Amino acid sequence: MRKITSVSKWTSSQLMTNLNFEVNYYRDKDFKAVNLHSHDFYELYFFINGDASYIIENGHYRLQSGDILLISPQNLHQLDINDSRETYERIVLWLNPRYVRSLSTQDTDLAECFKACDGRKSFLLRDGELSQNVQDMLYELYDCREKRDFGKDIEEETLVKRLLLALSRFTLENNDLQEAVKRRRADATVSAIMRYIDDNIDGDLSLDTIAEKIYLNKFYLSRLFKSETNSTLHQYVLKKRLLLSKKLIEKDTPITEVYVKCGFNDYSHFFRAFKTEYGITPKQYHTLISMP
């Protein structure tokens, strides 16, 4: 099996600097948990070593070596380190959706693996043969970074195509992914809270209001939600509203309507929250996604 000697330096940034894809190999000691977040690209996460769990939407996965996570744009997710004394090792591939579309054909959508997992709400693949093949291809793709050889770009593109084709074939041929991978679903009460938030995203989602609608003591609700998601209720609601705002902006909804449909009290609050979360203003985001 191919070995990697160089290690990427991890940063908290969730922004791609390459237009097509980025691949990084990380190995960290005393790593801390990553906050709940989402991004605008596809993420292929390959877990190699450590004692960690991953929360994606309402699923909580205790990771094993060789596990593959396929995370679509806008999926809220976060890492939870169970024991920071263990070396945390993984390789992560970020893919621009436009790049994936450019690699696809009319008959073959190479984003199918991500779409299938998103549709089933089961984001983890656990299969020994698949994991070995994916790991080898990821290592080879990572090694390409430093190459200056003729045809490097074609070699990288071929590897990305092979990766996505293997993963898409696997997901299409294995419809029972939820049964194949044991995971702990979010507490039934927390799932009910999440559904209520989704159904009332433009309304009053204060702790008091949700507690009243769910018929729970607000202090108990707050503690339960935090223990299940590693996020406060307020943080979760804010991120859900911001995710919706991006989707509306992508559909050319006027900015003056977006913040109302997302439940923000006023534009200035929406503007500050959007800029803090994504590093750009709503109008700058619209300009960015409108670029050819």
Side-chain angles (χ1 to χ4, degrees):
M1 183 181 68
R2 184 187 296 265
K3 296 291 185 181
I4 292 181
T5 54
S6 63
V7 179
S8 303
K9 183 178 180 180
W10 185 85
T11 71
S12 59
S13 172
Q14 295 295 327
L15 298 175
M16 284 185 64
T17 57
N18 189 296
L19 289 177
N20 295 332
F21 74 89
E22 290 182 16
V23 60
N24 286 288
Y25 167 72
Y26 301 108
R27 189 170 61 234
D28 297 289
K29 197 78 171 177
D30 298 320
F31 194 83
K32 306 302 180 185
V34 176
N35 292 331
L36 190 69
H37 65 281
S38 66
H39 30 62
D40 299 322
F41 45 81
Y42 294 112
E43 178 174 331
L44 191 171
Y45 170 100
F46 189 93
F47 181 70
I48 300 172
N49 187 70
D51 189 353
S53 299
Y54 223 100
I55 299 171
I56 308 178
E57 296 295 328
N58 72 335
H60 193 128
Y61 303 92
R62 183 69 177 261
L63 297 176
Q64 299 179 15
S65 180
D67 279 352
I68 301 166
L69 290 169
L70 297 178
I71 306 169
S72 292
Q74 316 308 336
N75 285 147
L76 285 174
H77 56 282
Q78 72 178 125
L79 172 78
D80 187 16
I81 295 292
N82 302 314
D83 187 350
S84 61
R85 294 171 297 180
E86 293 279 342
T87 298
Y88 174 45
E89 186 178 5
R90 69 281 186 204
I91 189 162
V92 181
L93 173 64
W94 288 351
L95 295 154
N96 187 320
R98 292 186 183 183
Y99 177 61
V100 176
R101 284 195 296 272
S102 74
L103 300 181
S104 302
T105 68
Q106 185 174 355
D107 296 327
T108 304
D109 182 359
L110 289 175
E112 178 59 39
C113 52
F114 293 98
K115 294 176 180 178
C117 289
D118 195 28
R120 299 167 190 168
K121 299 303 176 187
S122 182
F123 304 94
L124 189 147
L125 308 182
R126 183 174 290 160
D127 179 88
E129 182 178 352
L130 176 71
S131 292
Q132 188 61 70
N133 290 337
V134 167
Q135 185 174 14
D136 287 344
M137 285 187 279
L138 285 171
Y139 279 7
E140 192 173 350
L141 185 62
Y142 183 75
D143 284 345
C144 278
R145 298 188 323 157
E146 305 302 323
K147 285 186 177 180
R148 295 292 182 268
D149 299 352
F150 173 78
K152 171 192 172 181
D153 55 339
I154 295 179
E155 184 178 357
E156 289 177 331
E157 182 176 301
T158 300
L159 280 166
V160 172
K161 283 183 175 179
R162 286 174 55 203
L163 262 169
L164 295 178
L165 186 59
L167 290 164
S168 293
R169 281 176 171 166
F170 181 86
T171 54
L172 286 170
E173 294 168 3
N174 293 269
N175 294 319
D176 57 345
L177 292 178
Q178 287 178 308
E179 299 300 324
V181 178
K182 292 183 179 180
R183 65 169 178 155
R184 180 171 67 81
R185 286 185 175 274
D187 178 90
T189 302
V190 173
S191 293
I193 295 169
M194 291 176 170
R195 287 194 299 271
Y196 182 83
I197 291 170
D198 288 339
D199 294 341
N200 299 275
I201 197 67
D202 61 342
D204 179 7
L205 292 175
S206 65
L207 176 60
D208 287 333
T209 298
I210 295 177
E212 180 181 349
K213 297 295 183 181
I214 304 295
Y215 305 107
L216 280 180
N217 176 278
K218 67 178 182 180
F219 301 109
Y220 171 75
L221 185 155
S222 181
R223 290 194 300 271
L224 176 64
F225 195 88
K226 176 71 172 179
S227 68
E228 285 290 314
T229 67
N230 283 348
S231 173
T232 67
L233 185 67
H234 173 74
Q235 290 170 335
Y236 182 82
V237 168
L238 180 60
K239 289 180 183 293
K240 276 289 187 177
R241 283 178 164 158
L242 289 172
L243 282 177
L244 176 59
S245 75
K246 291 176 76 174
K247 292 179 182 179
L248 292 174
I249 292 171
E250 289 164 8
K251 295 178 180 178
D252 291 324
T253 306
I255 302 295
T256 52
E257 296 179 19
V258 169
Y259 80 89
V260 176
K261 292 182 176 181
C262 296
F264 288 94
N265 293 328
D266 53 64
Y267 178 74
S268 61
H269 179 206
F270 167 59
F271 179 93
R272 289 194 302 272
F274 196 99
K275 180 79 178 291
T276 299
E277 183 74 11
Y278 303 120
I280 57 177
T281 69
K283 289 183 179 179
Q284 287 173 333
Y285 179 69
H286 182 265
T287 301
L288 181 65
I289 61 173
S290 300
M291 294 173 61

